[in-house]
């Protein structure tokens, strides 16, 4: 790579490199947010009727319909929720895997007291804790890299993951998902001066960075093998956290980054020397991920999402995402949820 492409001077609220250092220092710690307000747990309500989707086996899943493969909402308690509520003392918290270096989604704001963890995903985690434990601050946040989201759930290190996690068929074979709470799509991020124009032939001979275990890498790898992406596109650079791709782009070590457009827009807001190139070339939906057998927790989260869509989602969008994605959230709102028949 031409060393002249390196961008050492980072701007914004402290610069991405500065935030990356903060994140690295904090990654080993679990954030225990102080309890600031309490509200009584909301009584259970009857679940809405399931939509008319046809229940199919996991091995017949189609990615375009993966976001519809979830259970109908319910306010009933079950073994998973009871186990969470049975925790005592300081451990009586909902344990949530999150990001702490995705600007406006889940990040530590260095301008707040104690570099508080904030963002769109963080708001949702607080809302779920409020419903289950009657206290929005009864959350133990665990920062996990992109490639550890599923292992953290399977190993029981977290109760759920709220971390810009796309619902896919492959992941549904390993974990359970809620209904979608956000819609996005893969996009290309590159320097403004770059000849890259989008997800097209301009990526020939270019080195593209993706996060390990991300839907971006899976899409690029499949398209290159199928001839839909130039065979000379270099996909060898993968990193544990998506932010690491941006840092490598700034240092001139890669030519482009491919990630969710919602994340890429926030990264472009941090560094005015980069921009989104071309339109989104996929449609993807974020969901809350949980253990496969945690049916009661999945149903409860789906009930929370029904309420959140009517009261809370828009407020959080306005606060965190409107500056980067636009004031009209229509393109980001997920479709009306559809649930498995008979669930």
């Amino acid at each position: 790579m031409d060393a002249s492409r390196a961008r050492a001077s980072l701007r914004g609220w402290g610069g991405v490199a500065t935030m990356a250092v903060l994140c690295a220092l904090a990654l080993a710690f679990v954030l225990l947010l102080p309890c600031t307000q309490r509200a009584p747990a909301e009584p259970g309500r009857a679940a809405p009727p399931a939509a008319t989707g046809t229940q199919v086996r996991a091995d017949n899943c189609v990615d375009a319909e993966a976001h519809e493969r979830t259970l109908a909402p319910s306010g009933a308690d079950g073994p998973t929720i009871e186990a969470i509520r049975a925790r005592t003392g300081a451990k009586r918290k909902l344990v949530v895997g999150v990001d702490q270096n995705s600007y406006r989604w889940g990040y530590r704001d260095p301008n707040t007291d104690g570099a508080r963890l904030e963002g769109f995903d963080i708001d949702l985690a607080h809302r779920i804790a409020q419903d289950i434990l009657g206290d929005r601050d009864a959350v133990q946040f665990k920062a996990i890299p992109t490639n550890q989201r599923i292992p953290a759930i399977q190993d029981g290190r977290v109760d759920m993951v709220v971390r810009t996690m796309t619902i896919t068929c492959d992941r549904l074979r390993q974990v359970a998902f809620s209904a979608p709470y956000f819609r996005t799509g893969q996009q290309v991020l590159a320097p403004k001066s770059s000849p890259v124009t989008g997800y097209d032939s301009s990526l020939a001979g270019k080195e593209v960075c993706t996060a390990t275990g991300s839907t971006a890498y899976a899409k690029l790898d499949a398209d290159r093998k199928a001839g839909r992406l130039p065979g000379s596109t270099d996909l060898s650079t993968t990193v544990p956290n998506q932010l690491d791709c941006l840092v490598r782009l700034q240092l001139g070590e890669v030519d482009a980054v491919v990630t969710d457009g919602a994340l890429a827009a926030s990264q472009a807001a941090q560094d005015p020397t980069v921009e989104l190139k071309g339109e989104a070339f996929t449609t993807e939906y974020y969901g809350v991920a949980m253990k496969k057998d945690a049916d009661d927790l999945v149903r409860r989260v789906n009930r929370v999402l029904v309420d959140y869509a009517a009261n809370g989602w828009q407020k959080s969008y306005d606060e965190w995402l409107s500056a980067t994605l636009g004031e009209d959230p229509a393109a980001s709102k997920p479709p009306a949820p559809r649930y498995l028949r008979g669930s």
Side-chain angles (χ1 to χ4, degrees):
M1 290 290 164
D2 188 343
S4 65
R5 288 178 47 198
R7 288 182 282 286
S9 64
L10 303 179
R11 295 187 285 270
W13 49 274
V16 176
T18 300
M19 189 175 75
V21 172
L22 285 173
C23 296
L25 291 174
L27 189 58
F29 296 96
V30 173
L31 177 65
L32 295 175
L33 292 185
C35 179
T36 59
Q37 59 179 321
R38 292 182 180 273
E42 188 178 7
R45 295 190 301 272
T52 57
T54 303
Q55 186 168 2
V56 294
R57 299 196 313 270
D59 55 3
N60 289 332
C61 180
V62 177
D63 273 335
E65 302 171 355
H67 62 283
E68 299 176 0
R69 298 175 53 78
T70 189
L71 300 172
S74 173
D77 293 342
T80 310
I81 293 174
E82 289 171 356
I84 293 170
R85 288 180 173 167
R87 294 166 184 163
T88 59
K91 292 184 177 180
R92 193 175 186 272
K93 295 179 182 292
L94 182 71
V95 185
V96 183
V98 296
D99 199 354
Q100 63 175 14
N101 58 21
S102 286
Y103 185 43
R104 297 186 177 275
W105 285 91
Y107 76 107
R108 292 186 181 278
D109 186 347
N111 298 315
T112 60
D113 228 9
R116 187 170 61 243
L117 195 59
E118 299 179 332
F120 189 84
D121 279 345
I122 305 305
D123 282 358
L124 177 55
H126 281 302
R127 184 65 168 262
I128 297 170
Q130 173 69 53
D131 187 271
I132 294 176
L133 293 172
D135 178 3
R136 74 180 302 276
D137 290 317
V139 187
Q140 179 181 354
F141 289 114
K142 287 193 174 182
I144 52 175
T146 305
N147 63 352
Q148 286 297 306
R149 291 177 297 188
I150 289 177
I153 296 169
Q154 293 176 326
D155 297 345
R157 284 177 276 158
V158 298
D159 298 317
M160 62 183 62
V161 166
V162 185
R163 193 189 183 285
T164 59
M165 190 169 180
T166 299
I167 305 167
T168 70
C169 293
D170 181 62
R171 290 172 178 171
L172 278 168
R173 297 182 183 100
Q174 305 172 76
V175 296
F177 274 99
S178 70
Y181 65 88
F182 202 85
R183 176 167 52 194
T184 186
Q186 295 296 318
Q187 281 188 268
V188 176
L189 185 73
K192 289 181 177 178
S193 59
S194 170
V196 171
T197 57
Y199 193 67
D200 51 35
S201 60
S202 66
L203 291 175
K206 304 300 184 185
E207 187 170 353
V208 180
C209 183
T210 58
T212 305
S214 67
T215 52
Y217 177 82
K219 171 66 174 171
L220 268 64
D221 184 52
D223 282 357
R224 188 175 62 174
K225 290 175 179 175
R228 294 186 293 267
L229 186 68
S232 60
T233 306
D234 186 349
L235 307 179
S236 61
T237 301
T238 59
V239 294
N241 274 305
Q242 210 286 319
L243 180 67
D244 299 335
C245 278
L246 179 59
V247 174
R248 295 204 179 197
L249 184 67
Q250 292 168 324
L251 295 175
E253 296 176 358
V254 297
D255 298 293
V257 173
V258 172
T259 188
D260 306 341
L263 290 174
S266 292
Q267 292 175 358
Q270 291 172 263
D271 183 355
T273 69
V274 302
E275 65 181 1
L276 292 168
K277 301 280 190 174
E279 300 298 320
F281 54 90
T282 65
T283 299
E284 301 183 10
Y285 301 92
Y286 294 155
V288 178
M290 294 153 277
K291 274 193 173 181
K292 281 188 70 68
D293 59 353
D295 288 3
D296 59 321
L297 187 58
V298 173
R299 292 179 186 277
R300 177 61 65 86
V301 171
N302 280 344
R303 195 194 75 172
V304 171
L305 289 176
V306 171
D307 292 340
Y308 197 55
N311 182 23
W313 190 99
Q314 182 68 55
K315 181 177 182 295
S316 187
Y317 179 94
D318 290 344
E319 181 174 2
W320 301 113
L321 304 178
S322 60
T324 55
L325 297 178
E327 293 184 2
D328 182 2
S332 301
K333 283 186 175 179
R338 293 172 61 86
Y339 310 110
L340 293 171
R341 181 188 291 275
S343 68

